[in-house]
Amino acid sequence: MTRFNLDTKGLQYAHWLFGQFAKKLGVWGLLGVAILLASLVFYLTNIIKLEQQLSNAELNLAQQQLNNNNKNKIVLRDRNLAPEQNEAQRINQFYEMLPDGANLPKLLSAIDTNALKQHLVLNRGDYKLTQTKQGKLSRYEIVLPVTGQYIQIRQFIAEVLVQIPALALSDIQIKRENTLMPHVEARLVFVLFLKGDSW
């Protein structure tokens, strides 16, 4: 019975003490304490789990990097066996990807078709063939004066470069008579790379 009374008195004292503490803190103080306690609970339940997951992910990443480094060492070791041969093979593959001279009319027709698709006016074209000193590569320079809207010219350039990978835009010059004109005049210089020994 005495123990029960002591426990009851202890609870009453704790209740009284909490009441006094709450009065001194006020509403905003109690709100701050509640937020602090909620943050602590959130940290203990979620952040610790996330930290464990992050450390596991870092360990997995380190293991993958170690495996990749080992694979790269094997590849580098294989490359060191015959670097000249690998380099020569890559150069030969590059030249094999280029179109030959027999495909030139088809490629020029594709350029014209893309221009018509964008409703561009091709006034005329200047064409010039040059071969490199080694003779393995030919440059076919195509100068196209074009009239049309700026967005059409941009779209034409983008489409023709995607359609013909061996084609490069070497130079572009754009002029407009005045700002009210919807059309611009452009001078496009393309270079088409061909196999040098395919003529």
PDB file of all heavy atoms in Angstrom, residues 88-125:
ATOM      1  N   ALA A  88      46.125  -0.519 -87.106  1.00  0.00           N
ATOM      2  CA  ALA A  88      45.937  -0.706 -88.552  1.00  0.00           C
ATOM      3  C   ALA A  88      44.539  -1.244 -88.848  1.00  0.00           C
ATOM      4  O   ALA A  88      43.908  -0.831 -89.825  1.00  0.00           O
ATOM      5  CB  ALA A  88      47.000  -1.667 -89.092  1.00  0.00           C
ATOM      6  N   GLN A  89      44.047  -2.134 -87.991  1.00  0.00           N
ATOM      7  CA  GLN A  89      42.698  -2.667 -88.194  1.00  0.00           C
ATOM      8  C   GLN A  89      41.651  -1.575 -88.053  1.00  0.00           C
ATOM      9  O   GLN A  89      40.700  -1.500 -88.841  1.00  0.00           O
ATOM     10  CB  GLN A  89      42.411  -3.791 -87.196  1.00  0.00           C
ATOM     11  CG  GLN A  89      43.147  -5.077 -87.500  1.00  0.00           C
ATOM     12  CD  GLN A  89      42.940  -6.114 -86.412  1.00  0.00           C
ATOM     13  OE1 GLN A  89      42.459  -5.797 -85.329  1.00  0.00           O
ATOM     14  NE2 GLN A  89      43.330  -7.341 -86.699  1.00  0.00           N
ATOM     15  N   ARG A  90      41.817  -0.697 -87.056  1.00  0.00           N
ATOM     16  CA  ARG A  90      40.854   0.393 -86.871  1.00  0.00           C
ATOM     17  C   ARG A  90      40.876   1.355 -88.056  1.00  0.00           C
ATOM     18  O   ARG A  90      39.822   1.810 -88.508  1.00  0.00           O
ATOM     19  CB  ARG A  90      41.149   1.138 -85.567  1.00  0.00           C
ATOM     20  CG  ARG A  90      40.664   0.404 -84.332  1.00  0.00           C
ATOM     21  CD  ARG A  90      40.603   1.336 -83.154  1.00  0.00           C
ATOM     22  NE  ARG A  90      41.923   1.768 -82.735  1.00  0.00           N
ATOM     23  CZ  ARG A  90      42.635   1.214 -81.765  1.00  0.00           C
ATOM     24  NH1 ARG A  90      42.140   0.184 -81.115  1.00  0.00           N
ATOM     25  NH2 ARG A  90      43.810   1.677 -81.443  1.00  0.00           N
ATOM     26  N   ILE A  91      42.048   1.658 -88.561  1.00  0.00           N
ATOM     27  CA  ILE A  91      42.148   2.556 -89.722  1.00  0.00           C
ATOM     28  C   ILE A  91      41.494   1.917 -90.936  1.00  0.00           C
ATOM     29  O   ILE A  91      40.754   2.568 -91.677  1.00  0.00           O
ATOM     30  CB  ILE A  91      43.622   2.920 -89.995  1.00  0.00           C
ATOM     31  CG1 ILE A  91      44.133   3.814 -88.868  1.00  0.00           C
ATOM     32  CG2 ILE A  91      43.771   3.615 -91.342  1.00  0.00           C
ATOM     33  CD1 ILE A  91      45.613   4.084 -88.914  1.00  0.00           C
ATOM     34  N   ASN A  92      41.746   0.625 -91.136  1.00  0.00           N
ATOM     35  CA  ASN A  92      41.121  -0.070 -92.266  1.00  0.00           C
ATOM     36  C   ASN A  92      39.596  -0.108 -92.131  1.00  0.00           C
ATOM     37  O   ASN A  92      38.879   0.056 -93.124  1.00  0.00           O
ATOM     38  CB  ASN A  92      41.675  -1.497 -92.397  1.00  0.00           C
ATOM     39  CG  ASN A  92      43.093  -1.494 -92.954  1.00  0.00           C
ATOM     40  OD1 ASN A  92      43.496  -0.560 -93.632  1.00  0.00           O
ATOM     41  ND2 ASN A  92      43.843  -2.534 -92.639  1.00  0.00           N
ATOM     42  N   GLN A  93      39.099  -0.313 -90.924  1.00  0.00           N
ATOM     43  CA  GLN A  93      37.652  -0.307 -90.704  1.00  0.00           C
ATOM     44  C   GLN A  93      37.068   1.067 -91.024  1.00  0.00           C
ATOM     45  O   GLN A  93      35.978   1.169 -91.596  1.00  0.00           O
ATOM     46  CB  GLN A  93      37.324  -0.688 -89.260  1.00  0.00           C
ATOM     47  CG  GLN A  93      37.514  -2.154 -88.958  1.00  0.00           C
ATOM     48  CD  GLN A  93      37.318  -2.457 -87.483  1.00  0.00           C
ATOM     49  OE1 GLN A  93      37.156  -1.562 -86.662  1.00  0.00           O
ATOM     50  NE2 GLN A  93      37.350  -3.741 -87.136  1.00  0.00           N
ATOM     51  N   PHE A  94      37.796   2.125 -90.665  1.00  0.00           N
ATOM     52  CA  PHE A  94      37.331   3.475 -90.971  1.00  0.00           C
ATOM     53  C   PHE A  94      37.208   3.667 -92.480  1.00  0.00           C
ATOM     54  O   PHE A  94      36.190   4.157 -92.975  1.00  0.00           O
ATOM     55  CB  PHE A  94      38.290   4.513 -90.376  1.00  0.00           C
ATOM     56  CG  PHE A  94      38.043   5.902 -90.868  1.00  0.00           C
ATOM     57  CD1 PHE A  94      36.962   6.633 -90.411  1.00  0.00           C
ATOM     58  CD2 PHE A  94      38.886   6.480 -91.802  1.00  0.00           C
ATOM     59  CE1 PHE A  94      36.724   7.924 -90.868  1.00  0.00           C
ATOM     60  CE2 PHE A  94      38.657   7.759 -92.275  1.00  0.00           C
ATOM     61  CZ  PHE A  94      37.571   8.486 -91.798  1.00  0.00           C
ATOM     62  N   TYR A  95      38.235   3.273 -93.219  1.00  0.00           N
ATOM     63  CA  TYR A  95      38.196   3.439 -94.675  1.00  0.00           C
ATOM     64  C   TYR A  95      37.119   2.560 -95.314  1.00  0.00           C
ATOM     65  O   TYR A  95      36.503   2.956 -96.307  1.00  0.00           O
ATOM     66  CB  TYR A  95      39.561   3.127 -95.288  1.00  0.00           C
ATOM     67  CG  TYR A  95      40.570   4.235 -95.072  1.00  0.00           C
ATOM     68  CD1 TYR A  95      41.785   3.979 -94.449  1.00  0.00           C
ATOM     69  CD2 TYR A  95      40.318   5.529 -95.489  1.00  0.00           C
ATOM     70  CE1 TYR A  95      42.709   4.989 -94.241  1.00  0.00           C
ATOM     71  CE2 TYR A  95      41.232   6.537 -95.287  1.00  0.00           C
ATOM     72  CZ  TYR A  95      42.431   6.270 -94.662  1.00  0.00           C
ATOM     73  OH  TYR A  95      43.335   7.274 -94.457  1.00  0.00           O
ATOM     74  N   GLU A  96      36.863   1.381 -94.730  1.00  0.00           N
ATOM     75  CA  GLU A  96      35.836   0.502 -95.280  1.00  0.00           C
ATOM     76  C   GLU A  96      34.434   1.083 -95.095  1.00  0.00           C
ATOM     77  O   GLU A  96      33.528   0.797 -95.871  1.00  0.00           O
ATOM     78  CB  GLU A  96      35.909  -0.889 -94.629  1.00  0.00           C
ATOM     79  CG  GLU A  96      37.092  -1.718 -95.077  1.00  0.00           C
ATOM     80  CD  GLU A  96      37.075  -1.991 -96.574  1.00  0.00           C
ATOM     81  OE1 GLU A  96      35.994  -2.290 -97.114  1.00  0.00           O
ATOM     82  OE2 GLU A  96      38.140  -1.888 -97.206  1.00  0.00           O
ATOM     83  N   MET A  97      34.244   1.902 -94.052  1.00  0.00           N
ATOM     84  CA  MET A  97      32.935   2.505 -93.809  1.00  0.00           C
ATOM     85  C   MET A  97      32.605   3.586 -94.838  1.00  0.00           C
ATOM     86  O   MET A  97      31.434   3.917 -95.035  1.00  0.00           O
ATOM     87  CB  MET A  97      32.898   3.137 -92.407  1.00  0.00           C
ATOM     88  CG  MET A  97      32.828   2.120 -91.305  1.00  0.00           C
ATOM     89  SD  MET A  97      32.844   2.817 -89.618  1.00  0.00           S
ATOM     90  CE  MET A  97      32.735   4.546 -89.827  1.00  0.00           C
ATOM     91  N   LEU A  98      33.603   4.153 -95.465  1.00  0.00           N
ATOM     92  CA  LEU A  98      33.360   5.243 -96.417  1.00  0.00           C
ATOM     93  C   LEU A  98      32.721   4.717 -97.701  1.00  0.00           C
ATOM     94  O   LEU A  98      33.030   3.620 -98.152  1.00  0.00           O
ATOM     95  CB  LEU A  98      34.681   5.939 -96.752  1.00  0.00           C
ATOM     96  CG  LEU A  98      35.386   6.645 -95.593  1.00  0.00           C
ATOM     97  CD1 LEU A  98      36.722   7.196 -96.042  1.00  0.00           C
ATOM     98  CD2 LEU A  98      34.519   7.750 -95.030  1.00  0.00           C
ATOM     99  N   PRO A  99      31.850   5.524 -98.317  1.00  0.00           N
ATOM    100  CA  PRO A  99      31.261   5.102 -99.598  1.00  0.00           C
ATOM    101  C   PRO A  99      32.289   5.219-100.721  1.00  0.00           C
ATOM    102  O   PRO A  99      33.274   5.948-100.612  1.00  0.00           O
ATOM    103  CB  PRO A  99      30.113   6.092 -99.801  1.00  0.00           C
ATOM    104  CG  PRO A  99      30.473   7.281 -98.987  1.00  0.00           C
ATOM    105  CD  PRO A  99      31.301   6.792 -97.846  1.00  0.00           C
ATOM    106  N   ASP A 100      32.057   4.486-101.808  1.00  0.00           N
ATOM    107  CA  ASP A 100      32.980   4.583-102.941  1.00  0.00           C
ATOM    108  C   ASP A 100      32.401   5.520-104.002  1.00  0.00           C
ATOM    109  O   ASP A 100      31.264   5.990-103.899  1.00  0.00           O
ATOM    110  CB  ASP A 100      33.300   3.201-103.520  1.00  0.00           C
ATOM    111  CG  ASP A 100      32.047   2.423-103.876  1.00  0.00           C
ATOM    112  OD1 ASP A 100      30.979   3.049-103.986  1.00  0.00           O
ATOM    113  OD2 ASP A 100      32.142   1.202-104.040  1.00  0.00           O
ATOM    114  N   GLY A 101      33.191   5.799-105.017  1.00  0.00           N
ATOM    115  CA  GLY A 101      32.800   6.745-106.052  1.00  0.00           C
ATOM    116  C   GLY A 101      31.555   6.343-106.813  1.00  0.00           C
ATOM    117  O   GLY A 101      30.820   7.198-107.311  1.00  0.00           O
ATOM    118  N   ALA A 102      31.286   5.053-106.917  1.00  0.00           N
ATOM    119  CA  ALA A 102      30.105   4.585-107.642  1.00  0.00           C
ATOM    120  C   ALA A 102      28.812   5.031-106.965  1.00  0.00           C
ATOM    121  O   ALA A 102      27.769   5.153-107.606  1.00  0.00           O
ATOM    122  CB  ALA A 102      30.136   3.068-107.762  1.00  0.00           C
ATOM    123  N   ASN A 103      28.860   5.296-105.656  1.00  0.00           N
ATOM    124  CA  ASN A 103      27.671   5.716-104.913  1.00  0.00           C
ATOM    125  C   ASN A 103      27.453   7.226-104.956  1.00  0.00           C
ATOM    126  O   ASN A 103      26.472   7.721-104.381  1.00  0.00           O
ATOM    127  CB  ASN A 103      27.767   5.274-103.446  1.00  0.00           C
ATOM    128  CG  ASN A 103      27.623   3.780-103.294  1.00  0.00           C
ATOM    129  OD1 ASN A 103      26.895   3.152-104.047  1.00  0.00           O
ATOM    130  ND2 ASN A 103      28.319   3.217-102.328  1.00  0.00           N
ATOM    131  N   LEU A 104      28.347   7.960-105.597  1.00  0.00           N
ATOM    132  CA  LEU A 104      28.261   9.423-105.585  1.00  0.00           C
ATOM    133  C   LEU A 104      26.933   9.946-106.135  1.00  0.00           C
ATOM    134  O   LEU A 104      26.309  10.798-105.499  1.00  0.00           O
ATOM    135  CB  LEU A 104      29.445  10.021-106.352  1.00  0.00           C
ATOM    136  CG  LEU A 104      29.533  11.544-106.330  1.00  0.00           C
ATOM    137  CD1 LEU A 104      29.636  12.062-104.912  1.00  0.00           C
ATOM    138  CD2 LEU A 104      30.721  12.004-107.156  1.00  0.00           C
ATOM    139  N   PRO A 105      26.425   9.482-107.284  1.00  0.00           N
ATOM    140  CA  PRO A 105      25.143  10.009-107.767  1.00  0.00           C
ATOM    141  C   PRO A 105      23.985   9.780-106.780  1.00  0.00           C
ATOM    142  O   PRO A 105      23.128  10.648-106.594  1.00  0.00           O
ATOM    143  CB  PRO A 105      24.905   9.232-109.067  1.00  0.00           C
ATOM    144  CG  PRO A 105      26.258   8.810-109.514  1.00  0.00           C
ATOM    145  CD  PRO A 105      27.036   8.571-108.262  1.00  0.00           C
ATOM    146  N   LYS A 106      23.996   8.619-106.121  1.00  0.00           N
ATOM    147  CA  LYS A 106      22.937   8.325-105.154  1.00  0.00           C
ATOM    148  C   LYS A 106      23.032   9.270-103.948  1.00  0.00           C
ATOM    149  O   LYS A 106      22.011   9.757-103.442  1.00  0.00           O
ATOM    150  CB  LYS A 106      23.075   6.872-104.696  1.00  0.00           C
ATOM    151  CG  LYS A 106      21.902   6.412-103.871  1.00  0.00           C
ATOM    152  CD  LYS A 106      21.991   5.015-103.262  1.00  0.00           C
ATOM    153  CE  LYS A 106      23.030   4.100-103.809  1.00  0.00           C
ATOM    154  NZ  LYS A 106      23.065   2.805-103.127  1.00  0.00           N
ATOM    155  N   LEU A 107      24.255   9.565-103.498  1.00  0.00           N
ATOM    156  CA  LEU A 107      24.440  10.455-102.356  1.00  0.00           C
ATOM    157  C   LEU A 107      24.039  11.884-102.702  1.00  0.00           C
ATOM    158  O   LEU A 107      23.396  12.575-101.893  1.00  0.00           O
ATOM    159  CB  LEU A 107      25.892  10.393-101.876  1.00  0.00           C
ATOM    160  CG  LEU A 107      26.351   9.027-101.362  1.00  0.00           C
ATOM    161  CD1 LEU A 107      27.852   9.012-101.119  1.00  0.00           C
ATOM    162  CD2 LEU A 107      25.604   8.655-100.097  1.00  0.00           C
ATOM    163  N   LEU A 108      24.405  12.348-103.893  1.00  0.00           N
ATOM    164  CA  LEU A 108      24.020  13.697-104.319  1.00  0.00           C
ATOM    165  C   LEU A 108      22.501  13.795-104.465  1.00  0.00           C
ATOM    166  O   LEU A 108      21.898  14.822-104.138  1.00  0.00           O
ATOM    167  CB  LEU A 108      24.714  14.065-105.627  1.00  0.00           C
ATOM    168  CG  LEU A 108      26.241  14.205-105.554  1.00  0.00           C
ATOM    169  CD1 LEU A 108      26.817  14.487-106.931  1.00  0.00           C
ATOM    170  CD2 LEU A 108      26.635  15.287-104.568  1.00  0.00           C
ATOM    171  N   SER A 109      21.895  12.730-104.961  1.00  0.00           N
ATOM    172  CA  SER A 109      20.440  12.700-105.081  1.00  0.00           C
ATOM    173  C   SER A 109      19.777  12.776-103.704  1.00  0.00           C
ATOM    174  O   SER A 109      18.743  13.434-103.537  1.00  0.00           O
ATOM    175  CB  SER A 109      20.010  11.430-105.806  1.00  0.00           C
ATOM    176  OG  SER A 109      18.611  11.322-105.828  1.00  0.00           O
ATOM    177  N   ALA A 110      20.374  12.132-102.698  1.00  0.00           N
ATOM    178  CA  ALA A 110      19.826  12.188-101.336  1.00  0.00           C
ATOM    179  C   ALA A 110      19.889  13.613-100.791  1.00  0.00           C
ATOM    180  O   ALA A 110      18.965  14.064-100.102  1.00  0.00           O
ATOM    181  CB  ALA A 110      20.595  11.237-100.424  1.00  0.00           C
ATOM    182  N   ILE A 111      20.972  14.332-101.102  1.00  0.00           N
ATOM    183  CA  ILE A 111      21.084  15.728-100.668  1.00  0.00           C
ATOM    184  C   ILE A 111      19.981  16.555-101.314  1.00  0.00           C
ATOM    185  O   ILE A 111      19.295  17.346-100.646  1.00  0.00           O
ATOM    186  CB  ILE A 111      22.486  16.287-100.999  1.00  0.00           C
ATOM    187  CG1 ILE A 111      23.545  15.575-100.155  1.00  0.00           C
ATOM    188  CG2 ILE A 111      22.541  17.787-100.755  1.00  0.00           C
ATOM    189  CD1 ILE A 111      24.976  15.912-100.533  1.00  0.00           C
ATOM    190  N   ASP A 112      19.779  16.391-102.620  1.00  0.00           N
ATOM    191  CA  ASP A 112      18.729  17.136-103.328  1.00  0.00           C
ATOM    192  C   ASP A 112      17.343  16.798-102.785  1.00  0.00           C
ATOM    193  O   ASP A 112      16.489  17.674-102.616  1.00  0.00           O
ATOM    194  CB  ASP A 112      18.779  16.839-104.826  1.00  0.00           C
ATOM    195  CG  ASP A 112      19.996  17.466-105.497  1.00  0.00           C
ATOM    196  OD1 ASP A 112      20.568  18.402-104.919  1.00  0.00           O
ATOM    197  OD2 ASP A 112      20.363  17.005-106.596  1.00  0.00           O
ATOM    198  N   THR A 113      17.108  15.523-102.507  1.00  0.00           N
ATOM    199  CA  THR A 113      15.805  15.089-101.991  1.00  0.00           C
ATOM    200  C   THR A 113      15.508  15.729-100.641  1.00  0.00           C
ATOM    201  O   THR A 113      14.389  16.184-100.382  1.00  0.00           O
ATOM    202  CB  THR A 113      15.764  13.551-101.865  1.00  0.00           C
ATOM    203  OG1 THR A 113      16.033  12.981-103.143  1.00  0.00           O
ATOM    204  CG2 THR A 113      14.424  13.066-101.369  1.00  0.00           C
ATOM    205  N   ASN A 114      16.532  15.796 -99.779  1.00  0.00           N
ATOM    206  CA  ASN A 114      16.341  16.421 -98.467  1.00  0.00           C
ATOM    207  C   ASN A 114      16.074  17.910 -98.604  1.00  0.00           C
ATOM    208  O   ASN A 114      15.299  18.482 -97.838  1.00  0.00           O
ATOM    209  CB  ASN A 114      17.549  16.176 -97.569  1.00  0.00           C
ATOM    210  CG  ASN A 114      17.490  14.822 -96.900  1.00  0.00           C
ATOM    211  OD1 ASN A 114      16.544  14.513 -96.210  1.00  0.00           O
ATOM    212  ND2 ASN A 114      18.498  14.003 -97.127  1.00  0.00           N
ATOM    213  N   ALA A 115      16.722  18.566 -99.567  1.00  0.00           N
ATOM    214  CA  ALA A 115      16.476  19.993 -99.793  1.00  0.00           C
ATOM    215  C   ALA A 115      15.036  20.213-100.249  1.00  0.00           C
ATOM    216  O   ALA A 115      14.351  21.131 -99.768  1.00  0.00           O
ATOM    217  CB  ALA A 115      17.463  20.538-100.813  1.00  0.00           C
ATOM    218  N   LEU A 116      14.564  19.384-101.176  1.00  0.00           N
ATOM    219  CA  LEU A 116      13.180  19.510-101.647  1.00  0.00           C
ATOM    220  C   LEU A 116      12.182  19.230-100.521  1.00  0.00           C
ATOM    221  O   LEU A 116      11.131  19.865-100.425  1.00  0.00           O
ATOM    222  CB  LEU A 116      12.927  18.557-102.814  1.00  0.00           C
ATOM    223  CG  LEU A 116      13.615  18.923-104.134  1.00  0.00           C
ATOM    224  CD1 LEU A 116      13.425  17.809-105.159  1.00  0.00           C
ATOM    225  CD2 LEU A 116      13.077  20.246-104.664  1.00  0.00           C
ATOM    226  N   LYS A 117      12.517  18.282 -99.669  1.00  0.00           N
ATOM    227  CA  LYS A 117      11.644  17.935 -98.543  1.00  0.00           C
ATOM    228  C   LYS A 117      11.461  19.123 -97.604  1.00  0.00           C
ATOM    229  O   LYS A 117      10.395  19.320 -97.033  1.00  0.00           O
ATOM    230  CB  LYS A 117      12.266  16.746 -97.786  1.00  0.00           C
ATOM    231  CG  LYS A 117      11.471  16.250 -96.624  1.00  0.00           C
ATOM    232  CD  LYS A 117      12.186  15.080 -95.976  1.00  0.00           C
ATOM    233  CE  LYS A 117      11.575  14.703 -94.658  1.00  0.00           C
ATOM    234  NZ  LYS A 117      12.350  13.678 -93.972  1.00  0.00           N
ATOM    235  N   GLN A 118      12.497  19.937 -97.467  1.00  0.00           N
ATOM    236  CA  GLN A 118      12.424  21.120 -96.609  1.00  0.00           C
ATOM    237  C   GLN A 118      11.977  22.367 -97.377  1.00  0.00           C
ATOM    238  O   GLN A 118      12.020  23.473 -96.834  1.00  0.00           O
ATOM    239  CB  GLN A 118      13.786  21.374 -95.949  1.00  0.00           C
ATOM    240  CG  GLN A 118      14.218  20.321 -94.961  1.00  0.00           C
ATOM    241  CD  GLN A 118      13.237  20.159 -93.824  1.00  0.00           C
ATOM    242  OE1 GLN A 118      12.645  21.131 -93.355  1.00  0.00           O
ATOM    243  NE2 GLN A 118      13.040  18.927 -93.377  1.00  0.00           N
ATOM    244  N   HIS A 119      11.565  22.194 -98.653  1.00  0.00           N
ATOM    245  CA  HIS A 119      11.092  23.295 -99.504  1.00  0.00           C
ATOM    246  C   HIS A 119      12.155  24.374 -99.678  1.00  0.00           C
ATOM    247  O   HIS A 119      11.854  25.569 -99.650  1.00  0.00           O
ATOM    248  CB  HIS A 119       9.808  23.918 -98.932  1.00  0.00           C
ATOM    249  CG  HIS A 119       8.740  22.911 -98.657  1.00  0.00           C
ATOM    250  ND1 HIS A 119       8.081  22.235 -99.666  1.00  0.00           N
ATOM    251  CD2 HIS A 119       8.233  22.431 -97.491  1.00  0.00           C
ATOM    252  CE1 HIS A 119       7.207  21.406 -99.124  1.00  0.00           C
ATOM    253  NE2 HIS A 119       7.284  21.492 -97.811  1.00  0.00           N
ATOM    254  N   LEU A 120      13.403  23.937 -99.852  1.00  0.00           N
ATOM    255  CA  LEU A 120      14.499  24.866-100.077  1.00  0.00           C
ATOM    256  C   LEU A 120      14.761  24.994-101.570  1.00  0.00           C
ATOM    257  O   LEU A 120      14.596  24.039-102.329  1.00  0.00           O
ATOM    258  CB  LEU A 120      15.775  24.381 -99.377  1.00  0.00           C
ATOM    259  CG  LEU A 120      15.713  24.310 -97.855  1.00  0.00           C
ATOM    260  CD1 LEU A 120      16.996  23.718 -97.302  1.00  0.00           C
ATOM    261  CD2 LEU A 120      15.469  25.686 -97.257  1.00  0.00           C
ATOM    262  N   VAL A 121      15.201  26.175-101.960  1.00  0.00           N
ATOM    263  CA  VAL A 121      15.531  26.424-103.357  1.00  0.00           C
ATOM    264  C   VAL A 121      17.040  26.294-103.509  1.00  0.00           C
ATOM    265  O   VAL A 121      17.807  27.039-102.895  1.00  0.00           O
ATOM    266  CB  VAL A 121      15.073  27.836-103.784  1.00  0.00           C
ATOM    267  CG1 VAL A 121      15.464  28.114-105.224  1.00  0.00           C
ATOM    268  CG2 VAL A 121      13.573  27.980-103.595  1.00  0.00           C
ATOM    269  N   LEU A 122      17.480  25.307-104.305  1.00  0.00           N
ATOM    270  CA  LEU A 122      18.900  25.138-104.605  1.00  0.00           C
ATOM    271  C   LEU A 122      19.169  25.856-105.926  1.00  0.00           C
ATOM    272  O   LEU A 122      18.752  25.398-106.990  1.00  0.00           O
ATOM    273  CB  LEU A 122      19.257  23.655-104.719  1.00  0.00           C
ATOM    274  CG  LEU A 122      19.123  22.827-103.446  1.00  0.00           C
ATOM    275  CD1 LEU A 122      19.414  21.364-103.736  1.00  0.00           C
ATOM    276  CD2 LEU A 122      20.045  23.328-102.370  1.00  0.00           C
ATOM    277  N   ASN A 123      19.844  26.997-105.866  1.00  0.00           N
ATOM    278  CA  ASN A 123      20.078  27.781-107.075  1.00  0.00           C
ATOM    279  C   ASN A 123      21.033  27.071-108.028  1.00  0.00           C
ATOM    280  O   ASN A 123      20.777  26.945-109.211  1.00  0.00           O
ATOM    281  CB  ASN A 123      20.609  29.161-106.701  1.00  0.00           C
ATOM    282  CG  ASN A 123      19.590  29.937-105.874  1.00  0.00           C
ATOM    283  OD1 ASN A 123      18.400  29.760-106.069  1.00  0.00           O
ATOM    284  ND2 ASN A 123      20.050  30.755-104.960  1.00  0.00           N
ATOM    285  N   ARG A 124      22.136  26.631-107.481  1.00  0.00           N
ATOM    286  CA  ARG A 124      23.117  25.901-108.282  1.00  0.00           C
ATOM    287  C   ARG A 124      24.062  25.212-107.296  1.00  0.00           C
ATOM    288  O   ARG A 124      23.987  25.446-106.095  1.00  0.00           O
ATOM    289  CB  ARG A 124      23.905  26.840-109.210  1.00  0.00           C
ATOM    290  CG  ARG A 124      24.829  27.779-108.474  1.00  0.00           C
ATOM    291  CD  ARG A 124      25.590  28.711-109.413  1.00  0.00           C
ATOM    292  NE  ARG A 124      26.697  29.331-108.733  1.00  0.00           N
ATOM    293  CZ  ARG A 124      26.601  30.284-107.827  1.00  0.00           C
ATOM    294  NH1 ARG A 124      25.412  30.706-107.454  1.00  0.00           N
ATOM    295  NH2 ARG A 124      27.678  30.809-107.280  1.00  0.00           N
ATOM    296  N   GLY A 125      24.944  24.401-107.809  1.00  0.00           N
ATOM    297  CA  GLY A 125      25.919  23.742-106.952  1.00  0.00           C
ATOM    298  C   GLY A 125      27.285  23.711-107.603  1.00  0.00           C
ATOM    299  O   GLY A 125      27.397  23.566-108.819  1.00  0.00           O
TER     300      GLY A 125
END
